[in-house]
Structure formats: C-alpha cells, structure tokens
Amino acid sequence: MTRVPSSEDDAQLQRVLVLTHQRDWCLERLSQLSLDGRMEEARAITAEHLELLVSLDVRRSLWVRIERNAW
C-alpha cells in the first residue's frame, strides 16, 4: 500500500524513490539480458528507458494519480 505524502517535500522524496527503484530494476534487467546473450532485448529496454537511465529528474517526469471511484 502506498502512503499519501503529507507535504510537497514528502511527495518529491516518494517520487525520487520510485524513479530510483525503476532505474535500478532496468539496470539489473539489462545486466541479466546481456549476460544471457539476449542483446536485442537489452537494446529494446535501453531504447525505451534511456531517459530514466541517464538521469532522474522528478520535475520533468509525468506523474499520474489514479483514484478509485467511490460509488
């Protein structure tokens, strides 16, 4: 369950943590694909996630909040 940030600083920290986790997953997956000789898949991940892999910038990232309807 994701907690709701209590301030803008908390929201920024949460966003940095999310992007860092995604970047780390991509790098780990790239390493594993490369070791397995699956270079085409590694290139696809790199191409799709290049901006995330190059730098984390929470101010330039698109953030969407999904809220469930209360009906």
Side-chain angles (χ1 to χ4, degrees):
M1 182 161 109
T2 305
R3 72 177 185 84
V4 176
S6 60
S7 71
E8 186 59 32
D9 288 340
D10 285 346
Q12 287 291 89
L13 177 59
Q14 282 294 113
R15 291 173 177 167
V16 168
L17 292 173
V18 167
L19 287 178
T20 301
H21 176 73
Q22 290 177 344
R23 183 201 57 204
D24 292 348
W25 179 88
C26 287
L27 291 172
E28 183 179 320
R29 186 73 178 135
L30 282 170
S31 295
Q32 189 59 53
L33 289 171
S34 296
L35 288 172
D36 292 345
R38 297 163 61 186
M39 299 311 291
E40 201 61 37
E41 292 173 64
R43 279 192 287 277
I45 286 179
T46 302
E48 188 169 332
H49 301 290
L50 185 59
E51 185 176 328
L52 176 63
L53 296 171
V54 171
S55 71
L56 297 176
D57 187 349
V58 297
R59 294 168 305 200
R60 293 184 56 216
S61 297
L62 174 64
W63 295 93
V64 178
R65 180 181 307 171
I66 299 173
E67 298 179 359
R68 295 179 186 243
N69 290 335
W71 350 321

